[in-house]
Amino acid sequence: MNQDQNTPSRRSFLKAGALLGTAWMASPTLAASGEASNRTSPATSITKRRTLGNGKHALEVSALGLGCMGMSYHRGRIPDKSVSIALIRKAYESGVNFFDTAEVYGPYTNETLVGEAIQPFRKDILVSTKFGFNIENNQMAGLNGRPEQIRKVAEESLKRLRTDVLDLFYQHRQDPNVPIEDVAGTVKDLIAEGKVRNFGLSEVSVETIRRAHAVQPVTAVQSEFHLMWHRVIENGVLAACEELGIGFVPYSPINRGFLSGMLNPQTKFFAENDNRAGLPRFQPDAMAANWPFIELLTDFGHQRGLTPTQVSLAWLMKQKPYIVSIPGTTKAAHLMENLAVADITISDADWKAFDDALGKLTVEGDRYTQTERSRVQN
């Protein structure tokens, strides 16, 4: 797939519009908060496990985790706290043992929410959080990977999460002014002190991974990865993870909800708390041009009794055994839909046909604004 082609032909645009037709009108005009469609699956539990990292820094986690960001940040109207706490606890009861948050989600409020939700079963689950930004006046204010900042974030995250140790501590974005060796060394010290168990990186290059791993073994790399974003394959990040025994955690595995088929050019985002409103890929023209992805997912899934969301998550799972997606949602029905994916079986021949069709599609619109693009290495 050519990820850099940003200008579809007039013919493909009109074709996408014609195929959508009244389907746009039948879809919701307000964005869903999570990463899943509104179709439900039978109540289920996830029993399959996967491993992130190796040796003393390996983590055995549920085959799918839960991304908690959208319960507080960047996904529209914020649900009542009691609803989100109940959802996190429902995930635990359904076999999820891997929960993802960060200090900048809110900021701070998501960690506080997760901390309260997981307190009754904290010893039975794994929680990951992140450092890497300055926060001023309740807003992100540039990157900060200095050792003193890492330590400060660790202490504050421990308090908000109501815990005495962080299972996985990611650098959210790399600070170009701080050598990655200094970052890895600081986390190594925190591990020696018993405040952190494992080290992770997010949106970094192969070179950065290797340099960091040489100082402190990396347990997981987290980056955006889904049907419409293959860069981690193309630039060798996945291959490096496999070589070094590092797990890979895709965030936004449903492309911020688009691959659920529940967003369309008429969707109105709650711009006060939804970053999709300003992202190039979520502008009306781009969503129209990208609709063939939804058609492919819908057709493939319909023949197998699966939703577009489930096909998208299953596609990621089949890529590598050390991949653990963290789809987010705010609804129990969507959670069950996601967890059912762990038990899906699709033949290699069927996946090949799917990949052949996928390879003929092109993506319209960048995934990030120019500012955000400058902070990632993938």
Side-chain angles (χ1 to χ4, degrees):
M1 185 189 312
N2 179 5
Q3 296 288 349
D4 298 320
Q5 182 167 334
N6 293 322
T7 307
S9 67
R10 174 178 172 81
R11 179 181 300 173
S12 64
F13 177 84
L14 292 175
K15 178 183 178 183
L19 289 169
L20 272 169
T22 58
W24 288 348
M25 298 300 294
S27 297
T29 57
L30 291 176
S33 296
E35 292 266 11
S37 78
N38 71 343
R39 304 176 181 87
T40 61
S41 298
T44 188
S45 293
I46 187 167
T47 58
K48 293 183 178 178
R49 295 289 187 261
R50 291 190 165 194
T51 300
L52 300 174
N54 63 15
K56 64 182 294 186
H57 290 289
L59 289 176
E60 185 178 90
V61 300
S62 46
L64 287 170
L66 180 63
C68 299
M69 181 195 79
M71 300 175 188
S72 309
Y73 186 62
H74 271 178
R75 286 299 176 267
R77 299 183 186 278
I78 299 173
D80 184 87
K81 183 177 77 168
S82 64
V83 172
S84 294
I85 288 176
L87 180 67
I88 291 171
R89 291 178 178 174
K90 176 65 174 177
Y92 166 71
E93 293 166 2
S94 301
V96 176
N97 78 335
F98 186 40
F99 297 85
D100 183 86
T101 183
E103 66 156 356
V104 296
Y105 300 161
Y108 309 129
T109 55
N110 198 247
E111 281 188 326
T112 300
L113 169 71
V114 172
E116 181 176 349
I118 66 175
Q119 189 172 26
F121 45 82
R122 171 64 186 99
K123 293 182 180 179
D124 300 325
I125 60 95
L126 302 166
V127 62
S128 64
T129 191
K130 310 174 190 75
F131 63 88
F133 288 97
N134 280 317
I135 299 175
E136 298 175 1
N137 299 318
N138 220 38
Q139 299 289 331
M140 285 190 291
L143 300 169
N144 188 342
R146 297 193 301 273
E148 60 270 24
Q149 177 71 3
I150 298 172
R151 286 186 165 277
K152 175 177 179 290
V153 173
E155 295 292 346
E156 294 175 352
S157 293
L158 286 168
K159 292 176 182 177
R160 286 189 289 268
L161 289 168
R162 305 187 186 191
T163 188
D164 57 1
V165 64
L166 304 173
D167 297 301
L168 182 55
F169 202 31
Y170 291 101
Q171 182 176 39
H172 210 155
R173 296 290 185 269
Q174 186 180 358
D175 183 345
N177 297 315
V178 180
I180 192 63
E181 290 82 1
D182 292 352
V183 172
T186 302
V187 176
K188 182 175 184 176
D189 291 343
L190 288 169
I191 291 172
E193 294 164 19
K195 296 177 180 179
V196 171
R197 288 199 174 107
N198 299 282
F199 178 37
L201 298 168
S202 180
E203 291 285 7
V204 289
S205 67
V206 171
E207 179 187 1
T208 298
I209 293 170
R210 292 187 184 281
R211 289 169 55 195
H213 192 70
V215 176
Q216 167 59 43
V218 176
T219 294
V221 170
Q222 183 176 129
S223 292
E224 184 171 347
F225 181 33
H226 48 72
L227 288 165
M228 296 174 66
W229 186 253
H230 291 180
R231 195 61 58 85
V232 296
I233 295 177
E234 297 162 0
N235 66 11
V237 166
L238 272 188
C241 286
E242 185 161 356
E243 175 193 341
L244 299 171
I246 298 171
F248 190 84
V249 179
Y251 70 82
S252 294
I254 312 301
N255 190 16
R256 297 172 177 82
F258 180 76
L259 292 174
S260 70
M262 297 305 296
L263 304 178
N264 61 56
Q266 294 186 8
T267 297
K268 304 299 182 186
F269 295 106
F270 184 63
E272 293 177 26
N273 185 48
D274 198 325
N275 70 331
R276 293 174 295 188
L279 297 180
R281 193 166 292 173
F282 286 87
Q283 302 313 301
D285 287 357
M287 286 199 283
N290 289 327
W291 198 255
F293 286 93
I294 306 305
E295 293 176 326
L296 173 61
L297 288 167
T298 300
D299 183 58
F300 188 84
H302 182 73
Q303 299 174 54
R304 296 161 180 82
L306 305 174
T307 67
T309 290
Q310 290 175 322
V311 176
S312 298
L313 292 175
W315 182 87
L316 277 172
M317 290 187 74
K318 69 100 174 177
Q319 299 299 314
K320 295 291 181 180
Y322 52 85
I323 287 178
V324 179
S325 299
I326 49 170
T329 185
T330 60
K331 298 175 178 62
H334 297 174
L335 173 68
M336 295 299 101
E337 176 184 10
N338 295 344
L339 297 187
V341 171
D343 293 319
I344 289 173
T345 300
I346 298 173
S347 71
D348 291 343
D350 284 355
W351 276 128
K352 183 180 186 306
F354 180 86
D355 285 335
D356 287 345
L358 182 65
K360 297 175 183 178
L361 303 181
T362 56
V363 178
E364 163 69 6
D366 289 329
R367 63 174 179 141
Y368 276 139
T369 62
Q370 185 174 354
T371 298
E372 287 298 322
R373 286 175 61 190
S374 69
R375 293 172 174 164
V376 300
Q377 298 179 358
N378 287 313

